Amino acid sequence: MYEFFRITYTICLPIVLSYIVWYLKNQGRARDANFSGITLLLETEMIRYYERYAPVGTIPIYAYEHFMELYATYCQLGGHGIVDKMKTEIEQLQLNTNKALNDKQKF
């Protein structure tokens, strides 16, 4: 009986471990794809904010805060590139605190 379990164990263990390694590798690829997709969506949204407010020269407070939250999340996911320059330019825009004007500029 002991011999049966020893043989079964030596046959099944490598198969089970191989399956676990394969499964974990596939999960890693899916996670990386999700991170890439989310990063691209965040980048697209930040570009939209930049194109809307940079030419005007002012940005509402709510839009500025949202842009900074998007940027922080983007950086946590490993994003970099042109958005860094956009962030610098967004920070230099004048903050618009006029409530009536902010309501008109909402998307």
Side-chain angles (χ1 to χ4, degrees):
M1 188 68 165
Y2 172 75
E3 187 67 25
F4 171 75
F5 285 121
R6 189 180 66 79
I7 291 172
T8 305
Y9 179 76
T10 57
I11 292 172
C12 292
L13 185 63
I15 294 170
V16 170
L17 290 177
S18 297
Y19 173 75
I20 291 171
V21 169
W22 172 82
Y23 182 75
L24 291 175
K25 280 184 180 179
N26 283 340
Q27 273 192 334
R29 285 188 204 124
R31 186 187 68 240
D32 291 345
N34 285 337
F35 281 151
S36 295
I38 291 169
T39 302
L40 287 173
L41 289 172
L42 290 170
E43 185 174 329
T44 302
E45 187 67 15
M46 288 185 287
I47 290 170
R48 192 169 76 116
Y49 271 78
Y50 176 80
E51 288 177 346
R52 178 176 178 96
Y53 296 112
V56 178
T58 63
I59 185 169
I61 292 174
Y62 71 88
Y64 178 80
E65 289 175 354
H66 191 238
F67 183 91
M68 291 303 162
E69 289 173 7
L70 289 169
Y71 181 78
T73 305
Y74 178 78
C75 289
Q76 287 175 348
L77 292 173
H80 53 59
I82 191 82
V83 177
D84 296 332
K85 184 177 185 280
M86 287 181 199
K87 177 189 176 269
T88 304
E89 291 184 26
I90 289 287
E91 288 174 329
Q92 293 172 357
L93 294 178
Q94 179 181 350
L95 289 178
N96 183 353
T97 57
N98 185 349
K99 173 78 172 125
L101 192 55
N102 284 344
D103 290 339
K104 286 182 185 177
Q105 286 185 344
K106 283 193 177 179
F107 295 37

